[in-house]
Amino acid sequence: MEGDLKVFPLTEVLELIHAHRRSGVLEVREGVLPLTLRFAAGEVVGASILDWEGLEALFTFPLHPKEGTFRFQPGPPAGERPLMPFANLLGEWARVNDEWDRFRALIDSPSRVLEAIRPKPPLEPFQGGKSVRAAAKTWGVPLLIAMERAYMGLREGDLYPLRRYAWYALRIRHQGRKGKTLEEFGGLQGLLDGTRNLGEVIAQGVPEALVRRYLVQALASGELAPPGRGWLLRDLTWEMEKEGA
């Protein structure tokens, strides 16, 4: 079973698999963003955006994508427990999607680095500048809760966004033959040699938007496969959405 999400909405595809108690793997793609769902007897037992797994990753993917494709490959039931009962899954997915939309009105992605103007509790992690993802790890809380805290900090004037992202710290070194994606971004070829991070590349005059587009294409094609590539691709595509708004 495969098709176009303009014709068969994602919610209908999910409900069909559930109603028929199917087992297998559903591959969904919205633009360059992939989502993999594993089903056992109609229940979702696994979800991932590349190497980012679990409900946290799942709920960042749009439940109602305006366009995209899907493909379901039947298979034997996986010996895993449901991530959440299907009866509750779609409602929670929609609710968290709405929360992400609300928070992203002020913070384009969790990779955005914020600075504390007044580092009062619980905003101390942002002193000196830190991304929302890094703050979530410091606090030991889910990413969505960290986004809510950062959102409130911005609204109340305790935080302000810096003009950089967590991925600025990445160092990319291409060895041997350059990939097709890099060939399309000729100005980057001599700079991605591992001696400088992406923030330094941007500081040398390469437009941030160009570096972002390169990363998205290279991650989506598999030419780049660093640990954390799933959340990185999700954040970059969010930033591109805001950039094009």
Side-chain angles (χ1 to χ4, degrees):
M1 179 174 68
E2 59 185 294
D4 191 320
L5 293 175
K6 287 183 178 179
V7 180
F8 300 102
L10 179 56
T11 51
E12 292 185 13
V13 175
L14 297 170
E15 288 168 350
L16 183 65
I17 295 171
H18 174 68
H20 290 273
R21 296 180 57 80
R22 303 293 299 276
S23 298
V25 176
L26 176 67
E27 299 283 354
V28 185
R29 183 172 290 271
E30 185 207 30
V32 298
L33 190 67
L35 174 68
T36 300
L37 294 173
R38 298 192 305 278
F39 284 85
E43 295 288 335
V44 177
V45 297
S48 63
I49 296 175
L50 299 179
D51 64 344
W52 187 21
E53 300 186 348
L55 287 174
E56 188 167 78
L58 172 62
F59 291 160
T60 67
F61 193 91
L63 179 59
H64 302 286
K66 295 179 181 178
E67 58 184 9
T69 59
F70 70 90
R71 182 174 185 271
F72 181 72
Q73 182 66 43
E80 302 171 83
R81 300 181 64 179
L83 295 179
M84 178 181 288
F86 191 85
N88 303 328
L89 182 69
L90 298 190
E92 183 64 6
W93 191 345
R95 184 192 70 79
V96 176
N97 267 192
D98 288 344
E99 289 289 273
W100 275 111
D101 288 344
R102 181 165 68 93
F103 299 147
R104 289 186 55 249
L106 291 183
I107 307 169
D108 52 355
S109 92
S111 286
R112 170 71 77 170
V113 176
L114 306 176
E115 172 68 271
I117 301 172
R118 294 184 290 273
K120 63 182 183 181
L123 302 177
E124 298 95 334
F126 291 106
Q127 192 165 13
K130 184 169 285 190
S131 72
V132 180
R133 284 191 179 276
K137 290 183 179 180
T138 299
W139 284 322
V141 301
L143 184 60
L144 193 68
I145 291 177
M147 279 290 284
E148 182 175 26
R149 291 179 181 178
Y151 172 84
M152 294 304 298
L154 281 169
R155 283 193 59 183
E156 294 171 5
D158 296 319
L159 298 175
Y160 70 93
L162 300 181
R163 298 185 64 180
R164 68 175 189 268
Y165 297 85
W167 52 264
Y168 271 40
L170 288 176
R171 291 178 183 268
I172 296 175
R173 181 179 183 182
H174 283 271
Q175 297 178 328
R177 183 179 179 276
K178 301 291 192 297
K180 290 183 179 179
T181 301
L182 191 58
E183 292 173 2
E184 298 175 17
F185 296 86
L188 288 173
Q189 290 199 30
L191 298 175
L192 299 182
D193 57 4
T195 64
R196 53 180 73 80
N197 63 36
L198 293 179
E200 292 167 331
V201 169
I202 291 168
Q204 290 187 5
V206 179
E208 179 186 81
L210 180 71
V211 175
R212 183 181 288 114
R213 289 200 305 274
Y214 160 71
L215 287 174
V216 166
Q217 290 189 33
L219 289 166
S221 68
E223 287 181 26
L224 285 180
R229 58 191 177 276
W231 66 256
L232 178 57
L233 181 60
R234 172 68 280 192
D235 286 7
L236 289 163
T237 53
W238 264 334
E239 292 160 22
M240 288 181 70
E241 288 174 18
K242 198 76 170 181
E243 185 181 84

